[in-house]
Amino acid sequence: MFASLIVIILGLCHCIKDSNQTFQGFPQLSGPFEALESDTVKYKCKPPALLTNESILLQLVQRDQILDEKTSVSGETGNFTLKVKPSHEGYLKCVARVRNDSNIEHSVSSAQYLKVFDATEVFEGAMTNLLCSHNDATNVSYKWYLNGQLIPMSPSAKELSRQSTTSKDNGSYVCVATNRFNKKEYRTNSSEVIIRIKVRVSKPDIYFTVIKEDAHNYSAMVTCQSTYGTPYITFSLYNEEKLFANKTGEDRNVTFKVSVILGRNMGWFHCQASNGDRIVHSESLALRVVPVSGHVTVRFDSHLGKNYAVDSVTLFCEAENGTHPRYQWFLNNTLLDNKGRFYSVENQPPEQSLLLLSVGRSSVGTYHCNVSDSFDNTTAIGSKKLYLDEKVWNRLPDALVATVFACFTVLILLVSICCWVGVLFRRRRYGKTSLMGLEMQRTVAAYEGVLDVSQYVEDADEMTPPSGEEFDQASEASLDEWPDISAEKSFHGEPAEFP
Ligand SMILES: *[C@@H]1O[C@H](CO)[C@@H](O)[C@H](O)[C@H]1NC(C)=O
Ligand SMILES: *[C@@H]1O[C@H](CO)[C@@H](O)[C@H](O)[C@H]1NC(C)=O
Ligand SMILES: *[C@@H]1O[C@H](CO)[C@@H](O)[C@H](O)[C@H]1NC(C)=O
Ligand SMILES: *[C@@H]1O[C@H](CO)[C@@H](O)[C@H](O)[C@H]1NC(C)=O
Ligand SMILES: *[C@@H]1O[C@H](CO)[C@@H](O)[C@H](O)[C@H]1NC(C)=O
Ligand SMILES: *[C@@H]1O[C@H](CO)[C@@H](O)[C@H](O)[C@H]1NC(C)=O
Ligand SMILES: *[C@@H]1O[C@H](CO)[C@@H](O)[C@H](O)[C@H]1NC(C)=O
Ligand SMILES: *[C@@H]1O[C@H](CO)[C@@H](O)[C@H](O)[C@H]1NC(C)=O
């Protein structure tokens, strides 16, 4: 009884282990059967089912060499990438293994053959000539194929030439020679020639970011980046004229690590890039990292909307020193993200950061800004706090107020000066008139009793003596006008100041 129980338990254990821990079937490999040398190709491997969800290691294998490997956690397909070399021609397999259990038998996919073609690389714009070399037989006609498509050409064209290749000329070329002999046609295909049009690498850009390695060590991650160019591209980093390092890769960007001392000029750096043809240079970049220091100031500008009311406010934050500042804005001590309902942050590093506010009830509060080094956020320096509400942002800017005030003062001064000048000028004129008036008075006094004649005599000074008739008329006219004139003169002649 006891013995039979043990047997049953052992049997059960064996059952569980067996059914749970073997692959159910084989991995399935899929991908291209042909590839060009130095192309990047992708293969997929679907792992076989496993009853437990343990992670599966998938490997792309060729002649016992692991070309790539991926981990599949819950049965998902593994994606391999392969940079094709001539040696990759041959059978590829996918092997599935349970990661941490070497007791479990691995499972292998069926093999798939990869044929590798070598290609003739030609730079865009270069001249190419392909010659269909059959033999010197006469009566031979030729046909040219690019990627299986007939190229329209004269049947006598033994040579295919391109003055300036473009990306359209990329592909596999075959020529077929047809020879008529004794009323029979003999056709011969050439071998396939693969032309790969390469794009020259473009002038690289250079930039760097800073990282803090430990309490005392800082590094600049200098990136050289081109926007186009066919890989492989070799990037070299130069410090002044000295080669610092070079890297060759598939990417159009590489990063070099250069250790820096804060505050010190580490010299001028530039990148060079080449993918087989000419070498292109980047601009030079001064490698200098100055930590944030000094005062952090915040100021603001109000902007008028359509109806001449303030509708938005821009806050500016600036640190006195620092080549790699990171700005942070706070409202009532709460960090503001890059964009919110009523604000947006616009960083213009390293100079300043702007906080654009649309004014309203939610933008009322106390603002401040913190500036730290982008590579070390323990160095933050805070600005003074700035309280903003309707009263503050509607207040005219001091500069404007000062300008308006100055203009106003100048205007008042000008008006005053004008008045004074006017008064003085008039006074002088009045003075003259007064003297005249006094004389007149005297004259009038002297001719008292013969008023009509006196008036005439005065006028007559500047006149030729009139004839008798005229005299009478003038006299009459004078008589008519006299009371007015005398009134006027007496008025002018008796200013308060001249008694
Ligand atoms: C295995 O997968 C199933 C469903 O996918 C999940 O419910 C279970 O928790 C997993 N077990 C382990 C050990 O991860
Ligand atoms: C398997 O091994 C890897 C490292 O080799 C480990 O990180 C992982 O936790 C292991 N998983 C299990 C289930 O033991
Ligand atoms: C020759 O090339 C033509 C066109 O590409 C193709 O149809 C034919 O099968 C080829 N013949 C041989 C013998 O390769
Ligand atoms: C920089 O760090 C390395 C180790 O990472 C250390 O050996 C070296 O002393 C450090 N240099 C300075 C100046 O602290
Ligand atoms: C940089 O590349 C050149 C060839 O382009 C090579 O001769 C040299 O050894 C490389 N230098 C370094 C430091 O990798
Ligand atoms: C560098 O190149 C890789 C691959 O082409 C790309 O994923 C990455 O975003 C690039 N890095 C930068 C900073 O552009
Ligand atoms: C910020 O604080 C002020 C009082 O100091 C308050 O009136 C305002 O509503 C607060 N703003 C926000 C967005 O919390
Ligand atoms: C500083 O940066 C580290 C890592 O990037 C982060 O964990 C930490 O919270 C940051 N500290 C501050 C004050 O922002």
Side-chain angles (χ1 to χ4, degrees):
M1 166 87 187
F2 195 64
S4 68
L5 185 65
I6 288 170
V7 170
I8 290 165
I9 289 170
L10 281 175
L12 255 180
C13 287
H14 182 73
C15 273
I16 290 164
K17 193 176 157 91
D18 221 329
S19 62
N20 274 355
Q21 309 236 328
T22 38
F23 286 114
Q24 311 288 302
F26 304 99
Q28 282 165 15
L29 180 66
S30 58
F33 297 93
E34 296 175 343
L36 265 181
E37 182 193 332
S38 82
D39 264 359
T40 302
V41 293
K42 289 188 178 356
Y43 284 93
K44 284 178 190 297
C45 181
K46 191 171 180 289
L50 192 66
L51 290 182
T52 57
N53 30 9
E54 271 177 274
S55 63
I56 299 169
L57 182 66
L58 298 169
Q59 296 174 319
L60 183 67
V61 176
Q62 186 177 55
R63 294 186 286 268
D64 301 329
Q65 210 188 342
I66 299 166
L67 302 178
D68 196 5
E69 59 181 30
K70 288 280 140 67
T71 302
S72 166
V73 176
S74 45
E76 77 264 354
T77 301
N79 293 313
F80 303 118
T81 53
L82 183 65
K83 176 89 194 171
V84 179
K85 293 186 209 152
S87 65
H88 288 146
E89 179 149 337
Y91 288 101
L92 295 168
K93 292 173 195 168
C94 176
V95 178
R97 299 174 197 275
V98 174
R99 255 214 120 96
N100 298 346
D101 195 341
S102 53
N103 291 330
I104 299 171
E105 192 63 24
H106 63 268
S107 176
V108 184
S109 73
S110 55
Q112 178 171 326
Y113 196 81
L114 172 66
K115 169 135 186 69
V116 178
F117 293 94
D118 69 333
T120 306
E121 294 193 328
V122 176
F123 275 101
E124 209 175 36
M127 200 176 98
T128 46
N129 272 320
L130 293 173
L131 187 64
C132 194
S133 163
H134 181 228
N135 50 33
D136 291 335
T138 49
N139 292 327
V140 181
S141 66
Y142 299 94
K143 279 182 177 166
W144 287 87
Y145 295 86
L146 169 59
N147 299 324
Q149 300 276 310
L150 183 70
I151 306 172
M153 279 175 75
S154 148
S156 62
K158 194 179 180 180
E159 194 177 336
L160 175 72
S161 69
R162 292 276 179 271
Q163 289 306 310
S164 171
T165 53
T166 68
S167 56
K168 285 183 196 148
D169 300 320
N170 221 10
S172 122
Y173 289 81
V174 173
C175 82
V176 179
T178 310
N179 194 1
R180 277 176 195 283
F181 186 72
N182 275 349
K183 293 184 179 168
K184 277 182 115 181
E185 255 191 22
Y186 299 94
R187 300 178 64 177
T188 327
N189 283 12
S190 70
S191 59
E192 196 177 11
V193 171
I194 293 163
I195 301 284
R196 226 149 82 103
I197 309 297
K198 277 177 79 170
V199 178
R200 280 184 191 83
V201 64
S202 64
K203 179 182 163 178
D205 284 328
I206 182 170
Y207 59 87
F208 71 97
T209 55
V210 184
I211 55 170
K212 186 179 183 178
E213 301 279 4
D214 54 46
H216 310 286
N217 283 338
Y218 297 86
S219 296
M221 306 303 287
V222 182
T223 300
C224 302
Q225 183 169 28
S226 287
T227 44
Y228 49 86
T230 307
Y232 286 105
I233 302 172
T234 300
F235 287 99
S236 315
L237 182 66
Y238 283 82
N239 181 356
E240 316 280 346
E241 294 308 312
K242 230 174 68 215
L243 177 70
F244 178 80
N246 53 13
K247 280 187 189 175
T248 302
E250 252 183 81
D251 294 335
R252 292 192 193 94
N253 64 48
V254 295
T255 299
F256 301 95
K257 195 179 202 171
V258 183
S259 57
V260 291
I261 297 164
L262 296 189
R264 182 177 307 173
N265 211 334
M266 306 307 292
W268 290 86
F269 283 72
H270 78 272
C271 301
Q272 292 188 358
S274 173
N275 60 347
D277 199 28
R278 58 179 174 227
I279 295 172
V280 281
H281 304 251
S282 74
E283 304 289 332
S284 285
L285 173 75
L287 194 61
R288 182 161 168 268
V289 184
V290 176
V292 167
S293 67
H295 288 289
V296 171
T297 48
V298 168
R299 62 188 175 84
F300 78 97
D301 273 355
S302 307
H303 309 287
L304 295 182
K306 279 203 190 102
N307 50 357
Y308 301 103
V310 171
D311 70 348
S312 63
V313 171
T314 307
L315 281 89
F316 301 82
C317 178
E318 272 177 39
E320 226 171 300
N321 302 302
T323 49
H324 292 72
R326 185 177 69 133
Y327 295 94
Q328 284 180 313
W329 286 97
F330 295 85
L331 167 55
N332 291 353
N333 288 325
T334 307
L335 178 67
L336 298 175
D337 292 330
N338 277 341
K339 198 157 176 62
R341 217 160 24 83
F342 61 90
Y343 69 88
S344 74
V345 176
E346 191 184 297
N347 285 318
Q348 299 175 344
E351 288 82 17
Q352 61 181 3
S353 172
L354 311 187
L355 178 65
L356 313 169
L357 293 178
S358 62
V359 304
R361 216 185 307 149
S362 41
S363 43
V364 171
T366 306
Y367 290 86
H368 79 278
C369 140
N370 274 3
V371 187
S372 59
D373 288 312
S374 63
F375 49 89
D376 185 359
N377 61 8
T378 60
T379 57
I381 302 176
S383 72
K384 277 193 185 145
K385 302 206 166 176
L386 176 69
Y387 178 77
L388 278 189
D389 64 7
E390 296 92 339
K391 279 195 212 109
V392 182
W393 63 62
N394 280 318
R395 201 169 63 201
L396 288 168
D398 291 349
L400 181 62
V401 170
T403 312
V404 169
F405 184 74
C407 289
F408 194 66
T409 311
V410 167
L411 198 69
I412 287 180
L413 269 174
L414 278 177
V415 169
S416 315
I417 289 168
C418 281
C419 287
W420 273 108
V421 167
V423 165
L424 284 179
F425 186 68
R426 273 197 101 151
R427 219 180 246 182
R428 257 201 227 154
R429 261 186 60 169
Y430 292 171
K432 270 193 187 155
T433 324
S434 304
L435 284 174
M436 258 168 68
L438 280 175
E439 266 170 23
M440 188 69 70
Q441 267 184 335
R442 255 186 267 131
T443 321
V444 169
Y447 288 88
E448 225 161 5
V450 278
L451 269 177
D452 45 345
V453 179
S454 88
Q455 173 57 30
Y456 174 66
V457 167
E458 210 180 56
D459 285 346
D461 283 351
E462 297 135 48
M463 275 177 160
T464 49
S467 68
E469 278 162 64
E470 277 175 324
F471 177 81
D472 283 341
Q473 280 169 5
S475 168
E476 273 168 36
S478 296
L479 274 173
D480 285 349
E481 285 165 11
W482 177 250
D484 282 337
I485 294 167
S486 87
E488 210 182 315
K489 284 191 177 161
S490 67
F491 172 74
H492 286 299
E494 288 171 339
E497 294 91 341
F498 290 87

